[in-house]
Amino acid sequence: MSALALSVLLSLVSALGYAGGAIVQERVAVTSPGSAYLPLRRPGWWGALALNGLGGLLHVVALAYGPLSIVQPLGALTIVFALPLAALCVGRRAGATAWRGAVMATVGLAGLLSLVGSSEDHALDAAQRLAAAIVTGGAVVALMCASRAAHRHPAVRSVLLATAAGTAFGMSSVFTKSVTVDWDGDLDSSGTLFSLALIAVFSVAGVLLSQASYGGGGLTAPLATLTVVNPVLAAVVGILMFGETFRYGTTGTLLALGCGVLAAGGLIMLTTERMEETETPAREPSPAVGAQITGAVLSSVPRQRVDGEDVRGPAHADGPLTEQGVVEPGPGELFDPAADIAPGDADGPAPPGERAPAAPYARRTLPHRRRPRVRT
């Protein structure tokens, strides 16, 4: 097997490892909402860390055997691999919108990374390291605060946390590259120790933020955001600090901008699709259901008779009218003597302790009819 073929194979397995780790992280976030950032008691979370670590290790080995222009774009296949793996492993099928967004984000990211020209390796000096650390830390904190403000929208909160995680991972990669270039075998250097400390801090922050991004945000939106932001940030730092440029001059720059817009459109589509799933308004009860509920409530109201008539009208009477206009009680039905009222007082106010009949039922009086007292 040639070195190029081995590099491609390792890149594909690395993308599978990242996709599997993301699926496990999302399942851990769904089943343990109380520990959003650090679910240490969940064995699945440690398994996800192992899969992500395996993916990172294979990615580094693939870079050792193949060119950066091929290995980096293949890493974008993580999003595409995650969708069928999620359907196969956890039974979660993605819709057409999710597939379109994932393909758009993958194609845009792959095109953007393939257009970034390679240059000589560079190392950050002390001033650049300090400036990069301050700017990155401020951006991560700002994104975390924005995610807390957007707690009512789980999809937006998830994307913001995934952006923060991708920023932390991207800068960790930049500092790792700087340390490997400037490494002379001496750990006593203050610059080396400072870079190693920043790598540890940003790596841990990326792990915690990526775990929290899957809480309520689904799988595709945070994974696509994390996969896009990480290499794009590293490419931006290379262009701004290391003097790297896009290939093919002005044409390559325009193509790179188009690929960036395509990737951003895919992320927006994934986020919008998730927001529609989580923010679907509750259905209003139909009139038939409302009528059934009203009928059930009214049927539970005790029946009372006033001046010889049932308050609900003759249509609901339990027995035939007698000569005196009084409805004879049915089997097992009793009359309350306290409910009897004197003639002429039917339209007056209800006695103390007795509630007047509610609308639309009104007291009715039969003229020249006196209702005899019925005793139990």
Side-chain angles (χ1 to χ4, degrees), residues 85-315:
L85 278 179
L88 181 63
C89 298
V90 297
R92 174 172 296 180
R93 299 184 181 275
T97 304
W99 273 106
R100 286 195 296 267
V103 171
M104 287 176 59
T106 303
V107 173
L109 177 59
L112 181 62
L113 294 178
S114 63
L115 290 172
V116 176
S118 59
S119 62
E120 297 181 358
D121 293 334
H122 298 276
L124 297 174
D125 56 23
Q128 289 176 335
R129 284 195 297 266
L130 182 60
I134 293 175
V135 172
T136 305
V140 170
V141 172
L143 289 170
M144 291 179 63
C145 294
S147 67
R148 290 181 62 87
H151 64 279
R152 294 185 178 181
H153 305 281
V156 177
R157 170 187 172 274
S158 173
V159 170
L160 291 174
L161 289 175
T163 304
T167 303
F169 279 134
M171 289 308 300
S172 176
S173 301
V174 170
F175 285 117
T176 301
K177 181 178 180 180
S178 178
V179 168
T180 55
V181 171
D182 201 22
W183 176 257
D184 56 358
D186 186 12
L187 288 176
D188 296 335
S189 175
S190 59
T192 303
L193 291 177
F194 182 66
S195 298
L196 292 176
L198 290 176
I199 292 171
V201 170
F202 285 130
S203 297
V204 173
V207 170
L208 300 182
L209 291 171
S210 64
Q211 177 61 48
S213 66
Y214 291 104
L219 175 65
T220 52
L223 177 60
T225 304
L226 181 61
T227 306
V228 170
V229 171
N230 185 353
V232 167
L233 180 61
V236 169
V237 171
I239 293 173
L240 296 178
M241 292 187 175
F242 297 154
E244 297 180 355
T245 57
F246 293 107
R247 297 176 180 178
Y248 312 117
T250 305
T251 305
T253 303
L254 294 177
L255 289 175
L257 291 177
C259 291
V261 171
L262 185 62
L267 295 180
I268 293 174
M269 186 177 296
L270 290 172
T271 306
T272 306
E273 186 259 351
R274 185 61 186 175
M275 290 177 64
E276 291 176 354
E277 289 182 359
T278 56
E279 298 180 5
T280 303
R283 296 179 57 187
E284 294 291 337
S286 61
V289 175
Q292 293 178 1
I293 297 175
T294 305
V297 173
L298 293 178
S299 63
S300 63
V301 177
R303 293 187 291 271
Q304 296 180 357
R305 291 171 171 76
V306 180
D307 293 332
E309 272 195 359
D310 186 62
V311 295
R312 289 172 297 179

